[in-house]
Amino acid sequence: VGLHCPLTVLEAREQARNNRSVGLARQQFDLVHKDALYDLEIDTSSMSSDACAEKIIQAMQTAPTPHAFAHMKQQ
């Protein structure tokens, strides 16, 4: 599962937590999902945590067999 959100949202979350190094979100933004494949991708800025969890559960119950890890291994 790939969890995404805009950089502005990540930076706001980073500052609100007060336990993160400010600037780390920006530093890692272009790297964290580089070359990754996902069976499901979710934008966490547009849904609540509960809604995200429900979407993951629903996908696990109804989606075909996951393939992202197998595909990455072949590459």
Side-chain angles (χ1 to χ4, degrees):
V1 177
L3 301 176
H4 306 276
C5 71
L7 179 58
T8 54
V9 173
L10 287 173
E11 290 177 325
R13 290 175 180 173
E14 179 180 72
Q15 290 182 1
R17 288 185 178 134
N18 290 325
N19 65 349
R20 308 290 171 137
S21 299
V22 174
L24 192 58
R26 180 174 291 275
Q27 182 182 4
Q28 295 178 345
F29 187 76
D30 292 324
L31 302 173
V32 72
H33 296 287
K34 187 177 185 239
D35 301 323
L37 298 174
Y38 302 103
D39 292 301
L40 176 65
E41 298 192 50
I42 297 174
D43 181 346
T44 63
S45 69
S46 63
M47 295 188 295
S48 68
S49 299
D50 287 343
C52 290
E54 185 59 38
K55 188 168 184 173
I56 293 167
I57 291 167
Q58 182 181 16
M60 290 176 65
Q61 293 172 341
T62 61
T65 304
H67 65 278
F69 282 136
H71 188 72
M72 286 189 294
K73 183 179 179 183
Q74 288 176 348
Q75 291 180 337

